[in-house]
Amino acid sequence: MRKKSHAVSRDYAAPVRHVLTAVLAVMATSACSGGGSRAAAPITEPVTTAVALSVSGSGSGSGTVRSTPAGIDCRVNGGTTSGTCSTVFTAGMVVALNATPSGDGAFTGFSGDCTGQTCIATLRQGAISTVAAAFTAAVIPVMLTVAPSPASRGSGTITSTPVGISCTVNNSVASGVCSVLHAPGVVVTLTQTPLGSTLFEGWSGDCIGNPCQITMTQPRTGAVTFREPAPGIVTVAGSGTGNGAVTSSPSGISCTITAGITTGICSTSFAASSSVTLIGGASTGGSFDGFAGSCTGGTCVIPVTSGVTSAVSVGFTAAPQRLTVARGAGATGSGVITSVPAGISCVISGSASSGTCSALFPLNTVVTLQQSSTGDAVFDAWAGACTTDPCQLAMSEAHIALVIFKIQGLTISGGGSGTGTVTSSPTGISCVITNGMVGGTCSSTFAPNTLVTLTSTPSGMNSFSGYTGACNGFACSLTMVTGAMAAVTAQFAAPPTLTLSAVSGSEGGGTITSAPLGIACSLTFRAVNGSCVHAYALNTSVTLTQTPSPGSVFVNWVGACSGGASTCTVSLTQSRLVQALYRLAVPGSVTVSSGTGTGSGSVSSSPGGLACSIANGVKEGICRALFPIGSTLSLIPRAGSGSTFTGFSGSCSGMTCVLTVPENGDISVTANFNR
């Protein structure tokens, strides 16, 4: 009875057909081998012993499916398969399929002729087994971040639905939980709550609407803008001929009024909706006349309105009149101002003043102010209420006399990357310059018309690069101009450096040394070790010598050196970079050949690598192997039973063989065994 034939897919028809053909050939041979008169057995359809097994893929992930016994080695990526995903096994064989997901993905199970997480199938004769492996890709969460916008001022809190964000914003600083991961596709609602007097301005970034809604298809940012209400401003002005002061509660205003002229803090801002009380008080000899403007009378309480300026005038009346001496515009020097009659004894030093620089004089008193410069300063001019020297003023009202003293001298600044000192003759300048920064005495005054010479001294291997500014070049002598400060920059250069590195793509390595000493650098692939950077005095000539590491070959220099010589010389007129390119040496090979002898034996190597068997002129096993260049290799012959080793020929002769392996070369040695 004919056995029912199973259909075979196009992928497996050929292997099954080959098996059937082989079986038919065997049967035909058997039928014919029994003698010429014996009738051949009838040929029926051959028995199929080959069974096809195929693997397909599904799902969004990736992974591999392999079989035990070996045969299936199938890669699945997004449902698409590659590699060996179908093969033929012997009927009745038990085959196990093992699935391994890639990365963070997951294997979700087999389907088809296997189901579940495991697949162990007994292959039935004449059947084609099909198994599908499903993989899923990992779900990668995306980040939601809440932050204040660059324009945000004020404070508030931000929370989210679903919960996760609990962020506090204070001006440009965010604290708390301001970044949370969400699964792709989640819709997050952000809700803001201003704190204190802060007002909410709006959302920006990836936010839409208020509250903000964001769909998490990718990393998103919600930027919030808060604002503070504009403050109100209180301004105090003075009136009258007297002197006094106005302060505020809360603090902020601290205004001094002298004959209607205000100094100090006479205008400032206060928080909106607050209340400010102004307190006025007259100085000795004067009287407080009261407030006017936004306040009237002897007391002043001002309600502060956002964005509104409240102007208050305060009046004082004085019987005596005040004379004030102060530094005039452009004053740089120092001096002493005294008055006749006595009262003013004011010391002016640069922009500062001390002593008695303001005094009351009886009404209409004529006061004479006298000046005297100190140190290297010279008197330049009076200004303000004074126009001549000495200055005479009738105190019919308050006066301010401005005095201008000027100095002449030098100010040194630094430039460049090096270090050194700058000194002056006559003495005065003693300036230390480090990497462009100055220390010590770098500014000094001198008497008018003094000739000042600067001397610059570099430190160690540093070099002096010259002056700029009031001096140019490598020498500096200046005559002091009355009332003028000259500015000179001294440039020092750090010693140039020589840097060694490997060329990108270098595959070998070596060591590089220098003369004079300083560089002792090891290069391995693109890594550097040892002393690979060294500073030398300017214009030093440095010779570099390279030595390849075992297994490496030097190719050429790159950068400040070129060519393939083992040495190069660099002149350090500036910092230089030298790179070295190496390649890996190509190993050589050793081949063992059989001689013409009829004996048998084996040849091995020390170090190991060769294991060649020879019998009757035929070799097998490992008869050719690669070895590092320059390595020493010994061949060890062993004669088989009944055979005799008669010696080597070829690259070796005699009973022993010791070889040195060349680069990219093949050494052939013949081993002779006889019976």
Side-chain angles (χ1 to χ4, degrees):
M1 180 176 180
R2 289 177 65 92
K3 293 185 179 180
K4 185 177 180 180
S5 176
H6 293 272
V8 179
S9 70
R10 184 176 181 181
D11 289 337
Y12 313 110
V16 173
R17 213 166 29 243
H18 290 253
V19 173
L20 294 176
T21 302
V23 173
L24 288 172
V26 172
M27 294 177 65
T29 303
S30 299
C32 296
S33 63
S37 61
R38 185 177 179 182
I43 299 175
T44 62
E45 183 177 3
V47 177
T48 301
T49 61
V51 179
L53 174 61
S54 66
V55 174
S56 62
S58 64
S60 60
S62 60
T64 57
V65 179
R66 295 184 177 91
S67 65
T68 304
I72 296 293
D73 188 357
C74 183
R75 293 178 291 279
V76 177
N77 186 7
T80 301
T81 59
S82 60
T84 306
C85 298
S86 61
T87 191
V88 175
F89 294 95
T90 304
M93 181 178 289
V94 177
V95 178
L97 295 180
N98 300 304
T100 304
S102 300
D104 294 327
F107 172 63
T108 57
F110 292 105
S111 59
D113 289 340
C114 279
T115 58
Q117 292 289 314
T118 59
C119 178
I120 301 176
T122 301
L123 303 181
R124 294 178 292 107
Q125 179 175 322
I128 300 176
S129 296
T130 301
V131 177
F135 296 92
T136 59
V139 176
I140 302 175
V142 290
M143 183 71 75
L144 171 60
T145 300
V146 173
S149 73
S152 184
R153 298 293 182 270
S155 58
T157 61
I158 298 93
T159 58
S160 67
T161 303
V163 296
I165 295 293
S166 180
C167 184
T168 299
V169 168
N170 186 7
N171 292 330
S172 61
V173 178
S175 60
V177 182
C178 300
S179 293
V180 172
L181 289 170
H182 287 283
V186 171
V187 177
V188 180
T189 300
L190 297 178
T191 302
Q192 55 76 27
T193 303
L195 298 176
S197 60
T198 298
L199 302 175
F200 171 67
E201 184 78 16
W203 289 100
S204 57
D206 295 317
C207 277
I208 299 174
N210 183 38
C212 154
Q213 285 194 329
I214 298 177
T215 301
M216 298 302 297
T217 57
Q218 62 185 35
R220 300 289 191 182
T221 299
V224 65
T225 302
F226 292 109
R227 66 179 177 85
E228 293 284 4
I233 298 175
V234 175
T235 299
V236 174
S239 64
T241 59
N243 305 324
V246 178
T247 59
S248 66
S249 177
S251 61
I253 297 291
S254 180
C255 184
T256 300
I257 299 174
T258 303
I261 298 174
T262 58
T263 58
I265 304 174
C266 299
S267 180
T268 192
S269 59
F270 294 92
S273 303
S274 64
S275 178
V276 177
T277 300
L278 295 181
I279 305 164
S283 299
T284 302
S287 61
F288 172 54
D289 297 333
F291 295 101
S294 295
C295 287
T296 58
T299 59
C300 180
V301 178
I302 301 175
V304 180
T305 303
S306 174
V308 175
T309 298
S310 299
V312 177
S313 176
V314 60
F316 296 95
T317 299
Q321 302 301 310
R322 182 168 295 280
L323 174 59
T324 301
V325 175
R327 166 185 173 272
T332 56
S334 59
V336 177
I337 311 299
T338 58
S339 67
V340 178
I344 297 293
S345 180
C346 182
V347 177
I348 302 292
S349 180
S351 60
S353 61
S354 60
T356 305
C357 298
S358 182
L360 291 171
F361 293 91
L363 188 64
N364 296 323
T365 299
V366 176
V367 179
T368 301
L369 295 178
Q370 298 173 324
Q371 57 77 22
S372 176
S373 60
T374 57
D376 291 321
V378 293
F379 171 73
D380 185 69
W382 288 99
C386 290
T387 57
T388 61
D389 184 47
C391 168
Q392 285 190 330
L393 295 172
M395 298 304 299
S396 58
E397 59 182 351
H399 290 297
I400 298 177
L402 302 178
V403 64
I404 301 171
F405 295 102
K406 288 191 175 181
I407 56 174
Q408 52 286 316
L410 277 174
T411 298
I412 307 298
S413 59
S417 59
T419 61
T421 59
V422 179
T423 58
S424 66
S425 177
T427 60
I429 298 291
S430 181
C431 185
V432 178
I433 297 174
T434 303
N435 196 27
M437 304 298 292
V438 296
T441 305
C442 298
S443 182
S444 183
T445 62
F446 297 92
N449 301 315
T450 300
L451 178 64
V452 178
T453 300
L454 296 180
T455 300
S456 292
T457 305
S459 301
M461 290 191 296
N462 293 267
S463 58
F464 176 58
S465 304
Y467 299 104
T468 57
C471 286
N472 284 283
F474 288 85
C476 182
S477 293
L478 293 172
T479 298
M480 298 295 98
V481 177
T482 302
M485 289 293 292
V488 175
T489 299
Q491 305 273 349
F492 291 96
T497 57
L498 178 58
T499 302
L500 270 294
S501 70
V503 178
S504 177
S506 184
E507 294 185 346
T511 58
I512 299 175
T513 57
S514 67
L517 297 175
I519 296 294
C521 182
S522 296
L523 304 180
T524 304
F525 295 97
R526 281 176 285 179
V528 294
N529 294 286
S531 299
C532 299
V533 179
H534 191 73
Y536 294 90
L538 188 66
N539 297 320
T540 300
S541 181
V542 180
T543 298
L544 298 175
T545 302
Q546 69 79 30
T547 304
S549 302
S552 296
V553 176
F554 175 69
V555 179
N556 59 265
W557 301 98
V558 179
C561 283
S562 61
S566 62
T567 63
C568 83
T569 300
V570 182
S571 180
L572 292 180
T573 57
Q574 62 185 40
S575 292
R576 301 288 189 184
L577 170 65
V578 175
Q579 296 177 297
L581 176 63
Y582 292 91
R583 65 175 175 83
L584 295 176
V586 180
S589 65
V590 175
T591 301
V592 175
S593 300
S594 59
T596 59
T598 59
S600 63
S602 65
V603 177
S604 60
S605 63
S606 177
L610 292 171
C612 184
S613 298
I614 298 174
N616 197 26
V618 177
K619 65 179 181 179
E620 63 179 10
I622 303 174
C623 298
R624 181 178 183 272
L626 297 175
F627 297 92
I629 64 168
S631 61
T632 300
L633 184 74
S634 297
L635 299 185
I636 304 168
R638 289 184 177 85
S641 177
S643 296
T644 302
F645 175 66
T646 59
F648 293 105
S649 59
S651 294
C652 281
S653 61
M655 300 302 288
T656 61
C657 182
V658 178
L659 303 169
T660 299
V661 180
E663 181 188 8
N664 198 22
D666 188 14
I667 299 175
S668 181
V669 177
T670 300
N672 300 291
F673 295 94
N674 286 317
R675 288 189 179 276

